[in-house]
Structure formats: C-alpha cells, structure tokens
C-alpha cells in the first residue's frame, strides 16, 4: 500500500500579485484579478490572462505559473447585431434567454502608461513621463526613452544586451 502523503499548502507568492495583462507575473506566480492565470510567454515575460493567447506570429509557451486566481473573470460579451442566435452558432446561447433579448458589452481595463526604462511598453504603447517615446527592442521588449540607437544599448543589463530595432510604438508623450 503506498504511503499517504500529508496535504501540502499552496506555494506562497514571492511578491505582490500581478495586475492582469500589464505586469510580468513570473516572480509572483499569482494574479490580482479573479479567474485569471499567469501564463508564460517566454523566459522574459509572463502575463495574467483568462486564456493563453494563440495569436499568429505571437508565440507563447503557455506554461502555467502558479494557480488560477479563484472566482470568475470580469469579462462580458457583446452579441453582434448581425448575429441571429440559433443552434448553428451555439457559442452565443449562454447569453440569450428564451423569448428575450440580452445585450452584454466587453469591459476592458485601460493599460496604464509605462515608466521610463522601468517596464515593458509593448502593450501600453505609451509612456508616463513627458517627452518619452516607446521604442521596440525586439518582439519581447520595448521601453520608454528619449531616443533610441539601432544596435546594442550599453545601458541594458548584462545578459540582456541584444540589439534594439527602435521601431516606434505609439506616440511620444507631450
């Protein structure tokens, strides 16, 4: 007969839980919002999301980091006006009650602008500080800076000194 293992406690996060879609959750392995999971994109980024994205050209490893936050995600859906709900498109059936019309809407949390050289502005595409521009380094990172020079930036941390593409993301902060 195999030995009975004592119950184990869930791992304790090593930092404050991350905000959905905007903060890297690799260190904390936990998310603030209900019903979301920390998914790894690659060794340099993970995000709290309802589902792991499978966008064409945007590869995620989808490794699960920590447990899914208990509760239901705060997401609602709009049924397009052009859709007539039938058994042929059952994905909309949960949103319709017999003999009635229900309209739901997507609610999104705006992504806060990023601090200069402190965070990744790939998703926010805006900077908190006046005069800053979000510049892309590569497919994994972008940062708010005054300017950008193609190639390796000596200010990058050791081990992260890879070339910058300097593609503009969003508008320069006034």
């Amino acid at each position: 007969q195999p030995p009975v293992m004592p119950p184990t406690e869930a791992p304790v996060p090593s930092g404050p839980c991350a905000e959905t879609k905007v903060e890297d959750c690799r260190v904390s392995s936990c998310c603030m919002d209900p019903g979301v999971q920390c998914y790894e994109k690659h060794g340099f980024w993970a995000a709290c999301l309802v589902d792991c994205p499978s966008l064409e050209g945007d590869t995620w490893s989808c490794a699960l980091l920590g447990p899914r936050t208990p509760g239901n995600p705060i997401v609602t859906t709009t049924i397009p006006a052009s859709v007539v709900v039938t058994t042929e498109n059952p994905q909309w059936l949960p949103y319709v009650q017999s003999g009635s019309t229900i309209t739901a809407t997507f609610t999104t949390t705006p992504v806060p602008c990023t601090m200069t050289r402190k965070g990744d502005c790939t998703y926010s595409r805006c900077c908190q500080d006046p005069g800053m521009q979000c510049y892309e380094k590569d497919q994994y990172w972008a940062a708010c800076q005054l300017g950008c020079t193609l190639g390796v930036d000596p200010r990058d941390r050791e081990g992260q000194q890879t070339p910058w593409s300097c593609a503009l993301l969003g508008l320069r902060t006034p």
Side-chain angles (χ1 to χ4, degrees), residues 102-115:
I102 296 175
T103 302
T105 57
F106 270 109
T107 55
T108 58
T109 304
V111 177
C113 292
T114 308
M115 290 178 59

Side-chain angles (χ1 to χ4, degrees), residues 30-81:
C30 68
C31 304
M32 289 177 20
D33 295 323
V36 295
Q37 171 72 51
C38 180
Y39 289 102
E40 181 182 71
K41 180 173 184 176
H42 46 67
F44 303 106
W45 179 257
C48 294
L49 305 165
V50 174
D51 296 303
C52 190
S54 56
L55 303 173
E56 193 173 311
D58 193 18
T59 307
W60 286 66
S61 76
C62 293
L64 303 178
L65 304 180
R68 181 175 290 275
T69 306
N72 292 322
I74 305 168
V75 174
T76 57
T77 305
T78 299
I79 301 172

Side-chain angles (χ1 to χ4, degrees), residues 61-142:
S61 76
C62 293
L64 303 178
L65 304 180
R68 181 175 290 275
T69 306
N72 292 322
I74 305 168
V75 174
T76 57
T77 305
T78 299
I79 301 172
S82 61
V83 171
V84 176
V85 180
T86 68
T87 55
E88 292 177 19
N89 55 3
Q91 73 273 23
W92 299 110
L93 289 175
Y95 302 103
V96 178
Q97 296 175 355
S98 179
S100 65
T101 302
I102 296 175
T103 302
T105 57
F106 270 109
T107 55
T108 58
T109 304
V111 177
C113 292
T114 308
M115 290 178 59
T116 301
R117 299 218 19 116
K118 298 288 185 201
D120 184 358
C121 58
T122 302
Y123 297 106
S124 69
R125 295 179 178 247
C126 65
C127 303
Q128 286 181 358
D129 301 316
M132 293 295 144
Q133 170 69 52
C134 179
Y135 290 100
E136 180 184 75
K137 178 175 186 173
D138 53 34
Q139 66 182 21
Y140 306 116
W141 183 259

